[in-house]
Amino acid sequence: MKIGFGSDHAGFHLKENLKKYLEEKGHDVVDYGTHSDERVDYPDFAEKVALAVASKEVEKAVLVCGSGVGISISANKVHGIRACCCSEPYSARMSVRHNDANIICMGARIVGEDLAKMIVDEFFEAEFEGGRHEGRVKKMMNLEKHL
């Protein structure tokens, strides 16, 4: 799978570790920055990654900031994005199975490297169930029309 990555300065080191981990599992990764731990603004990187997912430049993505919250809110402003902020594996799996999430977000100040690996494993191994969830996802995405 081709996976996009992005982070702010707080998430830089966890992003780098997760990139390496997923590359070792055979995934292609595209890093949209940041490329250091110097202070930056997370909306800039959320936008780059979310646009890459929305345009199908990458299939799915991982975003990391300090808490995971700001970067997920920012990514969700892009049409077609369903970014989920997760701090444990169950929510990561269910975000895909029931909500067809296309970006996983997490906080480097919340989860450690081992837990983050479990979270991305669940996210990328899960498949959207469709069925009764399909209509709910369509309703969710129709909310974008209220802009």
Side-chain angles (χ1 to χ4, degrees):
M1 180 180 296
K2 191 171 185 181
I3 301 170
F5 275 86
S7 73
D8 68 356
H9 55 284
F12 171 70
H13 293 289
L14 181 57
K15 174 190 66 123
E16 292 299 303
N17 290 332
L18 291 174
K19 274 178 22 189
K20 181 180 177 187
Y21 176 69
L22 290 174
E23 284 176 325
E24 288 171 355
K25 294 186 99 169
H27 296 285
D28 293 326
V29 303
V30 180
D31 188 344
Y32 294 92
T34 193
H35 301 290
S36 76
D37 58 6
E38 291 184 34
R39 191 197 167 286
V40 294
D41 296 325
Y42 56 79
D44 299 332
F45 300 95
E47 179 183 26
K48 289 178 186 180
V49 171
L51 289 171
V53 172
S55 70
K56 307 219 184 299
E57 185 177 314
V58 295
E59 295 173 62
K60 290 189 176 187
V62 176
L63 289 171
V64 187
C65 68
S67 68
V69 175
I71 209 160
S72 66
I73 291 170
S74 299
N76 277 314
K77 299 294 182 183
V78 173
H79 183 79
I81 295 304
R82 291 173 302 283
C84 186
C85 181
C86 295
S87 298
E88 40 68 37
Y90 179 78
S91 294
R93 179 175 64 249
M94 297 311 287
S95 73
V96 175
R97 290 178 63 187
H98 288 189
N99 307 118
D100 201 17
N102 49 19
I103 299 179
I104 185 77
C105 305
M106 64 188 84
R109 295 177 180 143
I110 309 289
V111 301
E113 185 179 338
D114 289 340
L115 181 56
K117 288 176 181 177
M118 288 186 258
I119 291 169
V120 296
D121 281 344
E122 289 293 330
F123 183 78
F124 290 110
E125 290 170 10
E127 293 183 19
F128 181 51
E129 291 179 2
R132 71 183 195 274
H133 305 293
E134 188 103 25
R136 294 173 185 157
V137 171
K138 285 180 184 176
K139 285 182 180 185
M140 182 188 332
M141 299 316 293
N142 280 333
L143 294 172
E144 293 176 338
K145 295 178 182 177
H146 296 291
L147 300 177

